[in-house]
Amino acid sequence: MKRVFANARFGLRTRDSLRLSEVIPFWFAVSSPLIGLALGVFGAWLVAWLTS
């Protein structure tokens, strides 16, 4: 009963928690565009620096 109260205090329930099989695709979906954007900005800066 104490575990239910501790989870209810933060508004979480055990069945509402995310499973690892749901977190991994979400992490890739969020991080891949950010990594691509960072590499694109770095590449553009590098080309501008090398050609100047």
Side-chain angles (χ1 to χ4, degrees), residues 27-45:
W27 185 84
F28 277 108
V30 171
S31 66
S32 293
L34 296 177
I35 292 171
L37 182 66
L39 288 176
V41 168
F42 176 72
W45 172 81

Side-chain angles (χ1 to χ4, degrees), residues 3-51:
R3 181 173 171 86
V4 173
F5 176 71
N7 288 339
R9 185 173 53 180
F10 295 107
L12 297 173
R13 288 180 289 192
T14 305
R15 66 180 178 184
D16 291 339
S17 62
L18 293 174
R19 295 187 313 244
L20 189 60
S21 63
E22 296 172 348
V23 172
I24 291 173
F26 177 76
W27 185 84
F28 277 108
V30 171
S31 66
S32 293
L34 296 177
I35 292 171
L37 182 66
L39 288 176
V41 168
F42 176 72
W45 172 81
L46 184 64
V47 168
W49 180 66
L50 289 174
T51 56

